Amino acid sequence: QLQASGGGLLQAGGSLRLSCVASGRISSFGTMAWFRQAPGKDREFVAAINRSGERIFYTDRVRGRFTISRDNAKNTLYLQMDSLRPEDTAAYSCAGSARTYASERAHYTGVSYDYWGQGTLVTVSS
């Protein structure tokens, strides 16, 4: 139901925008998020956003450089990534849950999400 795209190969300092398109109505997802997984490492939370866009969370590793947004009319979730670093290299996946969470911590964990898109690879060279 979710399909991520927009990955690529670029040099440090560059920008990319990832997109995640839902086959159904993205507004049905109360909470959406981006996760990433670097080679040989565990999956890591990147950013999350609620249905209205009023609640947004980032991992400290990307805060100030990445921006998560969603366009419910276009059924699309975005991740604008600026000032990319080699350590941002990973497969980025989008995720969605029909639920909304009062707990900030709940947004950070993969088990909170029921729907996952395939990863799109981002490679940042130094």
Side-chain angles (χ1 to χ4, degrees):
Q1 290 194 347
L2 298 174
Q3 185 168 358
S5 63
L9 171 65
L10 73 166
Q11 291 186 330
S15 298
L16 274 179
R17 188 175 79 161
L18 305 183
S19 299
C20 174
V21 177
S23 57
R25 296 177 61 182
I26 202 170
S27 59
S28 66
F29 293 111
T31 306
M32 300 197 74
W34 289 98
F35 287 78
R36 67 185 181 185
Q37 187 166 20
K41 295 187 177 180
D42 292 336
R43 186 174 60 195
E44 174 188 33
F45 168 79
V46 176
I49 185 170
N50 72 339
R51 181 182 286 110
S52 66
E54 293 177 350
R55 298 190 78 201
I56 292 176
F57 304 100
Y58 296 99
T59 177
D60 288 344
R61 298 182 182 184
V62 308
R63 185 176 291 110
R65 299 188 296 120
F66 290 13
T67 304
I68 188 173
S69 63
R70 62 190 289 175
D71 187 332
N72 292 333
K74 294 184 178 180
N75 291 325
T76 305
L77 174 74
Y78 300 101
L79 185 68
Q80 177 66 40
M81 305 186 296
D82 299 317
S83 302
L84 282 160
R85 304 168 180 170
E87 54 264 40
D88 294 320
T89 294
Y92 286 71
S93 299
C94 53
S97 171
R99 293 162 287 182
T100 56
Y101 300 104
S103 163
E104 177 178 341
R105 188 176 183 84
H107 294 78
Y108 301 160
T109 59
V111 296
S112 297
Y113 301 92
D114 304 307
Y115 302 93
W116 291 83
Q118 86 293 349
T120 184
L121 184 61
V122 175
T123 303
V124 185
S125 63
S126 58

